[in-house]
Amino acid sequence: VLFVLFSLFGSFYLTNHFSQPIFSLLSAMKQLEAGQFVQIHESRKDEFAQLFAGYNAMADQLGALFRDLNASLEEISRHKRDMEEYNASLEKTVRERTDILLQSEKMTALGSLVAGVAHEINTPLGLGITSVSYQDESLDQVWGKFETNTLTKGALEGFLAGSREANAIALTNLRRAAELVSSFKRIAVLVTSLLPLFQ
């Protein structure tokens, strides 16, 4: 009877001391695989306490990185949409101004000016498009690593740093293109106002 009681007590002790914390850890890791960064809340003062603390710290870091990644992806997508809309607007403006200038027979001298302005606008736009294309390719790479669970902290940090730099380049060049378009509009208005003098 004592042996049976001792065996039952030993079995209960081993289950409570070893099996239960391992099951808790496995359950938390399964939730982590599903994208749920849950914490293990067990008050222990043994070796498992350190293991749980390490897991909780890792889950916190992964959760923060995952939130940062989602925020960056949303920001990049928003910038890409904004740049596409702005690029379409710029192209429409350039086409309209070019058509107006080309329709006038007395605007031959302005043809070289239009070509120069188009070249000046294409340069920052080209740099902006290159930056967005780089972000798009980097986004595909990071997303692929994320989907295959091979995304490392270093790769994510490199992606975020590269995205920040590419965004800065794109925004700088889009502002430059906007300034050129504004100057182009002022010149067009001035030429239109002076046109009656040459008729």
Side-chain angles (χ1 to χ4, degrees):
V1 172
L2 286 174
F3 177 75
V4 170
L5 289 174
F6 182 75
S7 298
L8 288 173
F9 177 76
S11 174
F12 174 77
Y13 177 79
L14 289 175
T15 299
N16 187 47
H17 193 72
F18 292 106
S19 300
Q20 185 61 38
I22 290 173
F23 288 144
S24 297
L25 186 60
L26 289 174
S27 174
M29 290 178 74
K30 285 182 181 178
Q31 289 179 296
L32 187 64
E33 284 183 35
Q36 300 174 355
F37 304 96
V38 296
Q39 297 281 309
I40 299 176
H41 300 290
E42 288 196 18
S43 56
R44 303 181 68 91
K45 295 182 180 179
D46 55 9
E47 296 80 4
F48 285 106
Q50 295 178 353
L51 184 62
F52 290 162
Y55 170 83
N56 288 340
M58 180 188 71
D60 282 342
Q61 289 179 350
L62 286 175
L65 287 172
F66 186 76
R67 288 188 296 273
D68 289 344
L69 175 63
N70 282 337
S72 297
L73 294 176
E74 289 175 5
E75 184 177 354
I76 288 170
S77 296
R78 191 179 72 251
H79 283 311
K80 186 178 178 183
R81 286 192 305 271
D82 292 345
M83 289 178 70
E84 288 171 349
E85 291 173 4
Y86 192 71
N87 188 31
S89 174
L90 286 175
E91 288 177 353
K92 180 181 177 183
T93 301
V94 170
R95 282 195 306 269
E96 289 173 353
R97 298 302 179 192
T98 303
D99 288 343
I100 291 170
L101 292 174
L102 292 176
Q103 287 173 2
S104 175
E105 294 179 0
K106 296 187 178 184
M107 301 298 286
T108 305
L110 210 55
S112 59
L113 175 63
V114 172
V117 169
H119 175 73
E120 290 296 324
I121 291 174
N122 281 336
T123 299
L125 282 180
L127 290 171
I129 290 170
T130 300
S131 297
V132 172
S133 298
Y134 167 77
Q135 286 179 307
D136 197 42
E137 290 174 6
S138 298
L139 177 59
D140 286 343
Q141 292 174 2
V142 169
W143 189 254
K145 290 180 181 179
F146 175 74
E147 288 183 331
T148 58
N149 290 328
T150 59
L151 180 63
T152 63
K153 182 179 179 182
L156 180 60
E157 289 174 348
F159 166 75
L160 294 176
S163 294
R164 178 175 292 174
E165 183 177 352
N167 277 343
I169 291 171
L171 289 175
T172 298
N173 283 285
L174 283 176
R175 289 188 181 112
R176 175 64 183 146
E179 290 171 6
L180 290 170
V181 170
S182 179
S183 298
F184 179 74
K185 287 180 179 179
R186 286 196 297 272
I187 292 171
V189 170
L190 177 61
V191 170
T192 302
S193 65
L194 292 176
L195 189 57
L197 298 176
F198 299 96
Q199 288 180 343

